[in-house]
């Protein structure tokens, strides 16, 4: 799917990691022009129909950001390694003009990122039926301390709950405003957000005591420069 966007002059988004093999996540943030969302959706549907007719094999998800300024969709696709980015996508080439004619005119801007999954601190397997993800992003001051913190928390969650609660990603480069890490929490729908659970710091304190928890929390706060989070809702009609 990345090559399709390149061909369409998009640019040179939340699939879920599974088991203990690290993978690469391509993420394309697409800001849609105000008042153009219905035309954008219709255009993507035309392109997807063409892509499937031409026997395209790339798998991808379209997520709509719930909060924040403007209308943003995030296109995501998972690949096993960097070498996959060298492969040609003939179906994408054949359907290029669908994007040029029916999608690009409704786009304000695009931002592209690549991130690698972090299986050692992530949940063992993806949640089935995921339609909603809560993604938290982190820009860090001290990567070593930050990794130490999430490893400690992940280890405790494995002991108590059997697996960490989310999937962690390490960003592969990016601009000055790109995050360094993110974690994706998966849900079947909004109702899952009403389910009450102890927070990870409470669980950690129950196992390790208040003093150790306070020290680890202080290290976490000192290691982070800034953080932010959004909900993203899966659009199954646009996804493949």
């Amino acid at each position: 799917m990345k090559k399709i966007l390149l061909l369409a002059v998009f640019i040179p988004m939340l699939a879920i990691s599974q088991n203990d093999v690290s993978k690469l996540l391509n993420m394309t943030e697409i800001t849609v022009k105000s008042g153009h969302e219905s035309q954008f959706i219709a255009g993507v549907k035309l392109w997807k129909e063409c892509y499937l007719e031409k026997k395209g094999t790339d798998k991808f998800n379209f997520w709509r950001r719930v909060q924040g300024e403007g209308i943003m969709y995030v296109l995501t696709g998972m690949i096993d390694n960097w070498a996959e980015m060298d492969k040609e996508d003939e179906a994408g080439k054949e359907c290029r003009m669908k994007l040029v004619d029916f999608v690009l005119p409704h786009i304000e801007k695009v931002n592209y990122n690549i991130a690698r999954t972090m299986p050692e601190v992530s949940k063992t397997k993806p949640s089935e039926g995921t339609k909603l993800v809560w993604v938290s992003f982190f820009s860090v001051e001290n990567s070593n301390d930050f990794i130490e913190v999430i490893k400690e928390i992940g280890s405790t969650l494995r002991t108590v709950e059997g697996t960490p609660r989310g999937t962690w990603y390490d960003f592969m480069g990016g601009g000055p405003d790109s995050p360094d890490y993110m974690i994706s929490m998966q849900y079947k729908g909004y109702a899952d957000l009403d389910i009450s659970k102890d927070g990870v710091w409470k669980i950690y304190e129950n196992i390790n005591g208040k003093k150790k928890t306070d020290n680890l929390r202080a290290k976490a706060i000192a290691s982070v420069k800034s953080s932010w989070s959004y909900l993203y809702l899966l659009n199954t009609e646009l996804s493949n």
Side-chain angles (χ1 to χ4, degrees), residues 51-187:
Y51 189 71
L52 295 179
E53 285 179 355
K54 302 298 182 181
K55 310 300 181 185
T57 57
D58 281 356
K59 301 298 180 184
F60 49 87
N61 286 324
F62 262 95
W63 305 85
R64 191 189 192 283
R65 193 179 69 185
V66 176
Q67 314 103 312
E69 182 180 356
I71 301 165
M72 178 180 287
Y73 282 81
V74 181
L75 170 65
T76 64
M78 192 75 78
I79 58 176
D80 290 330
N81 49 50
W82 291 103
E84 283 196 35
M85 299 179 75
D86 290 325
K87 295 178 181 178
E88 296 295 330
D89 185 357
E90 294 302 323
K93 289 181 180 179
E94 293 187 50
C95 297
R96 174 181 179 272
M97 292 310 298
K98 296 289 185 184
L99 286 172
V100 173
D101 293 338
F102 301 108
V103 179
L104 283 177
H106 309 295
I107 292 176
E108 181 177 322
K109 64 178 180 179
V110 174
N111 182 40
Y112 179 63
N113 279 292
I114 302 172
R116 183 179 291 280
T117 61
M118 303 170 68
E120 69 278 10
V121 291
S122 298
K123 63 188 304 178
T124 307
K125 60 182 180 179
S127 303
E128 294 184 3
T130 297
K131 297 292 176 64
L132 185 71
V133 291
W134 193 313
V135 185
S136 297
F137 303 89
F138 300 88
S139 177
V140 304
E141 297 276 11
N142 188 318
S143 185
N144 290 334
D145 283 354
F146 184 80
I147 295 298
E148 182 181 335
V149 169
I150 64 176
K151 282 183 176 180
E152 274 283 310
I153 295 294
S155 177
T156 300
L157 287 172
R158 279 197 175 91
T159 299
V160 176
E161 300 183 350
T163 181
R165 292 180 178 179
T167 303
W168 280 97
Y169 299 84
D170 182 0
F171 276 70
M172 302 286 99
D177 296 325
S178 296
D180 297 303
Y181 301 94
M182 72 178 186
I183 181 172
S184 171
M185 309 288 289
Q186 300 102 40
Y187 304 95

Side-chain angles (χ1 to χ4, degrees), residues 5-18:
L5 300 185
L6 274 168
L7 289 167
V9 202
F10 264 140
I11 233 172
M13 134 222 330
L14 276 170
I16 303 163
S17 139
Q18 188 168 5

Side-chain angles (χ1 to χ4, degrees), residues 28-39:
T28 305
E29 295 179 338
I30 304 166
T31 302
V32 178
K33 291 179 180 178
S34 179
H36 288 242
E37 186 172 12
S38 60
Q39 296 98 318

